[in-house]
Amino acid sequence: MRTTVTTFIAALLAGCVGRPAPVAVAITPPPLAVVVDRQAPAPNPINAGLSEAATLWHLRAGLNVAALACRGPEEAVLVAGYNALLARHAVPLKAAEAAYAAEYQAATAVGRDRYDDQMTRLYNHFGQSRGRSSFCAAARVALVELETTLDPAADAGARLASLDQPFAPPWLSVDPRVFGEAPVQLASR
């Protein structure tokens, strides 16, 4: 028994002697191949690569969510501003919705179902609690700007981007090799 223990201890100690020094190996990652559209104002894919009609309709949807979800001292201002937007710009908003829905209808036989699914995703996107206070502040600014504009589609992309920014994925700003200064442009439908 004593011989077995002695052999065991000798084997353990032998493992500690003569161990090679660790070698550090530096692996350089390959360059990332990412197509960046520097014109796309929105950081999130749901609001990227939109037609003019879709941009205006997405802006309206975001402002609708703000009127429904933003609470606090600015709540009444947001609701009044949104209702004024609907009254003041009813004709261009209705035209934008019709054109946007027609884009889906032209793309597929089940266009209305796809359009409805997209609208659900869009409302869910703007309804996130993460970034809500910044979203509500951006909505208030957009509604104030829209009070004095004759064409709600003018600068709709910039306004949509400001509504969308609070919901930008946190990783978007982490590695500029991946996203540069603008979001990744997704292929259009």
Side-chain angles (χ1 to χ4, degrees):
M1 167 90 170
R2 186 170 202 186
T3 306
T4 307
V5 173
T6 305
T7 306
F8 177 72
I9 292 174
L12 283 176
L13 291 175
C16 296
V17 176
R19 213 176 234 189
V23 177
V25 177
I27 299 174
T28 305
L32 299 170
V34 176
V35 176
V36 175
D37 177 3
R38 301 247 178 243
Q39 302 302 313
N44 292 298
I46 197 163
N47 287 317
L50 300 174
S51 66
E52 183 177 317
T55 300
L56 180 56
W57 196 246
H58 279 220
L59 174 63
R60 188 225 45 95
L63 294 172
N64 178 236
V65 171
L68 295 170
C70 296
R71 299 289 174 250
E74 299 293 323
E75 178 180 355
V77 173
L78 287 168
V79 171
Y82 179 71
N83 288 334
L85 169 75
L86 294 180
R88 187 180 313 104
H89 299 297
V91 172
L93 289 171
K94 185 175 182 176
E97 193 279 334
Y100 188 35
E103 291 174 21
Y104 276 87
Q105 199 63 38
T108 176
V110 291
R112 189 63 200 196
D113 289 341
R114 298 273 314 272
Y115 173 79
D116 290 343
D117 291 345
Q118 177 69 1
M119 291 299 95
T120 299
R121 284 190 293 278
L122 180 63
Y123 274 81
N124 288 341
H125 170 71
F126 284 123
Q128 299 176 68
S129 58
R130 175 178 60 91
R132 175 78 48 85
S133 62
S134 297
F135 167 69
C136 294
R140 186 176 189 296
V141 169
L143 286 167
V144 167
E145 291 172 352
L146 286 165
E147 286 177 6
T148 58
T149 186
L150 298 176
D151 179 11
D155 296 325
R159 288 186 184 105
L160 178 59
S162 70
L163 289 183
D164 204 19
Q165 187 59 46
F167 306 114
W171 41 262
L172 236 156
S173 61
V174 171
D175 190 348
R177 293 179 310 146
V178 178
F179 294 100
E181 297 172 11
V184 174
Q185 175 64 47
L186 300 179
S188 55
R189 298 173 211 55

